[in-house]
Amino acid sequence: MYTFIQKFHSGWAYLVLLLLLVTVINSLVGLASKNEFTAKDKKIALFGLIVAHVQLLVGLVLYFVSPLGKASLGNMSDPALRLSSLEHPLVNVIAIVLITIGWSKHKKASTSKGKFRSIAIFYGLGLVLILSRIPWNLWFKN
């Protein structure tokens, strides 16, 4: 079961990154071209929000069933162990919170510019945080 959750979490991450990137680019294009915020734009942002939250839930389940959680207690001097057991989960929770704030702020904005700006800023910050704490060595491991 642990292996399945781990593989799912790793595979789902590609979808999360892709959808967040599409959402940020869509918002930046909408902002730059002064487009109206349409139902399509809302759906793109909503799908980005949903896949990010699913990833968070799977990641939390993985964290609590992972042998890394127990092995890391009191051993934060190892950078790889610290990344996977502390930095990755903590920073990604912060990233999902920022994405959620962006979704909430877009709903309160009264103009298309405000909606696009909220999504572009907060989803963009979330994406940057997620990219900064991905354990790349594990992703590209043979």
Side-chain angles (χ1 to χ4, degrees):
M1 185 65 157
Y2 168 73
T3 304
F4 172 76
I5 296 171
Q6 186 180 31
K7 297 292 184 195
F8 182 81
H9 184 67
S10 295
W12 193 260
Y14 291 105
L15 183 61
V16 172
L17 293 175
L18 177 67
L19 275 172
L20 288 178
L21 185 63
V22 167
T23 303
V24 170
I25 290 171
N26 180 63
S27 293
L28 290 173
V29 168
L31 192 59
S33 60
K34 298 180 176 151
N35 291 342
E36 285 299 312
F37 192 84
T38 64
K40 174 194 72 105
D41 300 315
K42 184 177 181 179
K43 286 178 186 172
I44 291 171
L46 180 61
F47 289 143
L49 177 80
I50 290 169
V51 298
H53 278 88
V54 169
Q55 180 73 342
L56 174 65
L57 291 174
V58 172
L60 289 173
V61 169
L62 182 63
Y63 184 78
F64 289 110
V65 300
S66 170
L68 283 176
K70 296 174 187 124
S72 66
L73 293 174
N75 189 14
M76 290 295 151
S77 59
D78 179 19
L81 191 57
R82 185 178 60 243
L83 173 65
S84 61
S85 63
L86 177 68
E87 295 171 5
H88 175 76
L90 180 62
V91 171
N92 286 322
V93 166
I94 294 168
I96 304 301
V97 167
L98 286 171
I99 291 167
T100 305
I101 290 170
W103 175 258
S104 296
K105 285 182 126 345
H106 115 275
K107 291 193 306 185
K108 294 177 185 171
S110 58
T111 64
S112 291
K113 180 181 177 181
K115 291 178 184 291
F116 281 127
R117 187 176 53 230
S118 294
I119 290 172
I121 290 171
F122 286 97
Y123 279 55
L125 287 171
L127 179 60
V128 168
L129 286 176
I130 290 169
L131 288 171
S132 76
R133 295 295 102 198
I134 290 176
W136 295 105
N137 61 332
L138 297 177
W139 268 28
F140 297 120
K141 194 175 186 180
N142 291 337

